Amino acid sequence: MSTEVKVPVLGESITEATLGEWLKQPGDPVKADEPIASLETDKVSIEVPSPVAGVMGAHGVNVGDTVSVGATIGSIEAGDGAAATPAPAATPAPAPADTAGQQAPASGDAPAALSPSVRRAVLETGVDPATIKGTGKDGRLTKDDVLSAKAAPTAKPPSDGGAAPAGRADAAPAAEPAVRREERVRMTRLRQTIAKRLKDAQDTAAILTTFNDVDMTAVIEARTKYKDLFEKKHGVRLGFMGFFVKAACMALKDVPSVNAAIEGDEIVYHDYADISVAVSAPGGLVVPVIRDADQLSVAGVEKTIGDFGKRAKDGTLKMDEMKGGTFTISNGGVFGSLLSTPIINMPQAAVLGLHRIEDRPVVRDGQIVVRPMMYLALSYDHRLIDGREAVTFLVALKNAIEDPTRILIDL
């Protein structure tokens, strides 16, 4: 008996996706609701669960093919997989090569149970997942586990002191000249969408960037003083983003145009703050939305961001979590960025870029002192936001960060 595997509903207005990878191969045993394939949409990766328990049948489509909602992409056959997966011979066949020309890891059916992001990391690094101890839930491998295993030093064979082995008159042969290689990799649907949206933003909006800097002394002191108590009470680490999101919400109330959008010949003002936060995912940056961030506490913001970051790495963010947003914050400082001019996340009117914290000399009360400083960058649509409003927003944000008590008393 055969059961068809169909493309599930992908979300409102999403009618098709690209098959990113098969997580199960023909003959592999499959449990009910176990992921068997990964689909790439314009925004996120979605796993396709098996409708029943059985054995993976033939693949109906290939990796990279575009599939529509409701289309049949494969089948699940009756059985437990025992007959379809016999024990390997004494000399197993070599594993297929991955896109980089390296041999893919051969570790039984272990890769089939990995999440899309982990499986991709395994293929890219060539690390055998069977040799790695997982640190995720129930001992599952994470992407960080794979990258850490790749970065771990490997033992080198002991030197023979330069002496040639017995029976050899010559020393070691000269090294062969380096071979120059190129690799062509098809852009993922997510990367194509990111490229299109960024270019559309530049073609549509009159983008201008205004800069300021902020003294992080007070926030760093508050974080150092309360981080242990904060984590004990709320179960999440106290970071800097919680402060910046709350400070931004206050500044957005002072300067409503920064929280607005242009629709046709109308300006739409929002009396709420849905803050989009850029987080890193295997296929590129994704921008989930903190709904009603102005109504959340710092702890609520930190919990939401932490959850987004984890699920972005696992590829389990939902489509609805990526929609909307009235203002975006992008923190390039976590990657070491000193200064940047971020691009607007259309149809929003502005985006705030955060950067690394760096000790710099500044003047305080006529004295040159060293302070932990961060550059702030506000890119905005000049069709809607004037320079005065952009500067006013940044100054309000700066004041709240340099005196966090303002966040507490909404000043």
Side-chain angles (χ1 to χ4, degrees):
M1 180 178 177
S2 177
T3 302
E4 292 183 337
V5 179
K6 297 181 179 294
V7 177
V9 175
L10 303 174
E12 183 181 354
S13 75
I14 305 297
T15 60
E16 62 181 22
T18 300
L19 184 71
E21 60 181 323
W22 283 105
L23 305 179
K24 289 290 185 180
Q25 300 302 317
D28 288 348
V30 177
K31 300 177 183 178
D33 296 324
E34 183 178 9
I36 60 175
S38 174
L39 300 176
E40 294 178 351
T41 69
D42 291 348
K43 296 183 178 180
V44 295
S45 294
I46 298 176
E47 293 181 339
V48 179
S50 174
V52 295
V55 178
M56 187 70 220
H59 295 164
V61 296
N62 298 319
V63 172
D65 287 352
T66 298
V67 293
S68 300
V69 173
T72 299
I73 61 174
S75 63
I76 303 296
E77 309 295 336
D80 58 9
T85 55
T91 304
D98 65 13
T99 57
Q102 298 175 334
Q103 196 173 53
S107 54
D109 61 357
L114 303 178
S115 70
S117 61
V118 177
R119 185 175 177 84
R120 186 178 293 109
V122 167
L123 294 175
E124 291 175 350
T125 60
V127 175
D128 185 349
T131 64
I132 309 172
K133 182 178 180 181
T135 61
K137 183 178 181 180
D138 298 327
R140 296 187 64 180
L141 286 183
T142 66
K143 181 181 178 182
D144 290 339
D145 294 334
V146 177
L147 298 179
S148 296
K150 177 65 176 178
T154 55
K156 295 183 179 180
S159 172
D160 60 3
R168 287 180 55 189
D170 300 330
E176 296 182 0
V179 178
R180 290 157 53 91
R181 294 185 176 89
E182 291 183 350
E183 178 185 3
R184 292 181 180 269
V185 180
R186 180 177 178 178
M187 291 176 68
T188 64
R189 180 178 289 266
L190 173 60
R191 177 53 60 183
Q192 292 178 47
T193 300
I194 291 173
K196 183 178 184 301
R197 285 177 60 84
L198 292 177
K199 186 57 180 173
D200 287 347
Q202 289 184 320
D203 291 342
T204 302
I207 301 177
L208 181 63
T209 304
T210 295
F211 303 96
N212 209 322
D213 61 2
V214 59
D215 187 339
M216 296 292 291
T217 299
V219 166
I220 290 175
E221 289 177 351
R223 183 172 180 266
T224 301
K225 183 176 181 179
Y226 296 112
K227 64 179 181 179
D228 292 338
L229 290 174
F230 185 91
E231 185 170 3
K232 182 178 180 180
K233 179 176 180 178
H234 299 290
V236 65
R237 294 180 61 188
L238 177 60
F240 296 122
M241 279 296 285
F243 290 98
F244 276 102
V245 168
K246 295 301 296 181
C249 289
M250 293 173 55
L252 291 173
K253 290 182 180 180
D254 292 342
V255 191
S257 61
V258 180
N259 198 41
I262 294 178
E263 291 187 6
D265 58 357
E266 297 179 333
I267 299 174
V268 180
Y269 292 96
H270 307 101
D271 66 351
Y272 54 88
D274 286 351
I275 306 298
S276 304
V277 288
V279 296
S280 181
L285 286 179
V286 293
V287 193
V289 180
I290 306 174
R291 308 289 179 189
D292 296 314
D294 53 320
Q295 304 299 319
L296 295 177
S297 65
V298 171
V301 170
E302 290 288 1
K303 287 179 181 179
T304 304
I305 294 175
D307 177 60
F308 283 160
K310 180 179 183 300
R311 291 192 290 119
K313 290 182 179 180
D314 294 339
T316 58
L317 282 173
K318 299 177 181 178
M319 295 294 298
D320 289 344
E321 294 171 319
M322 318 280 277
K323 295 178 180 178
T326 61
F327 180 76
T328 294
I329 299 178
S330 178
N331 186 7
V334 297
F335 305 109
S337 172
L338 175 65
L339 193 61
S340 67
T341 55
I343 299 178
I344 297 170
N345 180 21
M346 298 290 286
Q348 297 173 19
V351 53
L352 175 68
L354 307 182
H355 302 90
R356 75 171 184 247
I357 302 171
E358 185 176 62
D359 285 344
R360 292 200 296 271
V362 295
V363 177
R364 295 289 185 267
D365 299 324
Q367 300 294 320
I368 298 177
V369 296
V370 175
R371 291 288 188 267
M373 304 297 294
M374 175 195 289
Y375 286 121
L376 304 175
L378 182 74
S379 291
Y380 54 97
D381 190 342
H382 209 354
R383 298 177 301 166
L384 172 59
I385 303 169
D386 295 330
R388 176 183 59 84
E389 294 171 312
V391 172
T392 300
F393 173 88
L394 282 178
V395 170
L397 181 77
K398 173 185 173 74
N399 290 338
I401 293 298
E402 293 186 343
D403 183 6
T405 304
R406 290 173 175 263
I407 298 176
L408 178 63
I409 62 177
D410 193 15
L411 180 62

